[in-house]
Every structure is written in structure tokens, then in C-alpha cells.
Amino acid sequence: MAKTSVPVKQTAAAPGTTVDVWRPFRSEIERMFDRFANGFGLAPFAGARFESPFTLPSPAVDITENETAFTLSAELPGMTEKDVELSLTGDTLSIKGEKRQEREEKDENFHLTERSYGAFQRSFLLPESVDREKISAEFANGVLTVTMPKTALAAPKKIEVKAAG
């Protein structure tokens, strides 16, 4: 399968903008309350929501580093590059995605239609050593790979050790 390039949108950081580190926690608590309510035949706690009730779990992410770059790999099974948005705002790299699935089965005795929609967002604070102008991304086989080259100043330099004397 061919790799597909994913554009990285760069925007200026909004004054006073911070990353919402509590978002995944709130989402998990909301899901827990909904599962509890469903067990007793109650309606979900829709009024207590901070955001959309349809959220996907955060994708698994691996970040590696070598001498020249950082590489972020995010597992996004069942998605395509069109379902993913990658943006850079100031020092924050954000991955957003939305997955829509629909399944329909018909038989003589039944008709089943299932639809599910979900969205996720993950954000990462980039180190100073990343060259923000050269960040690139590719999507292949359900894996988003973001390559973040280091600046020339961040490259390791060998310092010669001389004998005293």
C-alpha cells in the first residue's frame, strides 16, 4: 500500500492558549457514568457533558528519537489520511481524527443497521530542538508517521579531549 502525505497546518499560537490536559480524564469519567446509567436502564448523563458524547479512545502513540529527528507513530486502524488532521500551533502538535462507521445486515427475519461516530484529539508539546518548518507526515496501513527533524543547532557535536600538559 502506498504512503500518503498528510499536510501539517501551521497556525500562530493564540495568546493565553493552553493544552487541555484534563480532557481525556473528563471523557473517561463521562463514559463511566454512561455505562453505569445504561446498566440501570437510565438515560445517559448528556447534560453533564463537556463535549461531544461520541469520542474514540486516544490512539496508541510511539515517539522515538535518533540523532537527526523525532518520529511519532500513531495507530489509527480503520481510518484514512482524509480522516486525520495534523496541526502545529506554536510549540503544540495536535492530531485530530474522526471515524464514521456504518454497517447494515438484512436477512429474511431481521434488519440490522449500526452507525458509530467518534472523534479524538491528542496534543504534544514539541522540544525546542525540532525544526518546525520541516515537519512532515505520512499515512500508510492505518499508521500515521510524523517526522520532526532536529535543527542544525541540536545536532550532537563531538568535543575533542586533549591531554593536559
Side-chain angles (χ1 to χ4, degrees):
M1 185 172 210
K3 292 183 179 181
T4 305
S5 181
V6 177
V8 180
K9 298 178 183 174
Q10 293 196 24
T11 58
T17 300
T18 59
V19 177
D20 184 4
V21 297
W22 294 104
R23 184 176 187 263
F25 178 73
R26 280 196 308 267
S27 295
E28 186 58 33
I29 294 297
E30 289 169 0
R31 282 192 294 274
M32 182 183 68
F33 277 117
D34 285 346
R35 285 193 302 265
F36 176 79
N38 288 338
F40 289 100
L42 301 172
F45 292 97
R49 297 242 181 254
F50 292 96
E51 49 200 274
S52 170
F54 301 106
T55 58
L56 292 174
S58 293
V61 173
D62 291 323
I63 300 175
T64 58
E65 176 184 10
N66 62 29
E67 291 183 4
T68 60
F70 293 93
T71 303
L72 180 146
S73 299
E75 296 177 13
L76 304 169
M79 299 182 81
T80 68
E81 71 280 355
K82 294 174 185 144
D83 301 322
V84 179
E85 180 183 319
L86 192 62
S87 63
L88 179 64
T89 304
D91 292 338
T92 304
L93 179 72
S94 296
I95 302 171
K96 292 181 186 178
E98 186 170 357
K99 185 174 182 179
R100 297 173 185 253
Q101 288 183 315
E102 188 168 324
R103 182 180 82 143
E104 187 170 352
E105 290 182 35
K106 292 182 181 180
D107 197 350
E108 187 176 313
N109 298 325
F110 73 90
H111 182 114
L112 171 70
T113 303
E114 291 183 320
R115 291 179 187 90
S116 62
Y117 305 89
F120 69 88
Q121 177 176 346
R122 288 210 56 188
S123 297
F124 304 89
L125 191 59
L126 299 183
E128 289 182 25
S129 59
V130 171
D131 187 344
R132 280 124 177 93
E133 299 299 319
K134 295 183 181 174
I135 296 174
S136 63
E138 293 180 335
F139 194 95
N141 299 324
V143 177
L144 173 68
T145 304
V146 182
T147 304
M148 300 169 280
K150 294 180 180 179
T151 62
L153 298 175
K157 298 177 186 175
K158 288 191 175 188
I159 300 173
E160 183 181 349
V161 178
K162 298 180 184 179

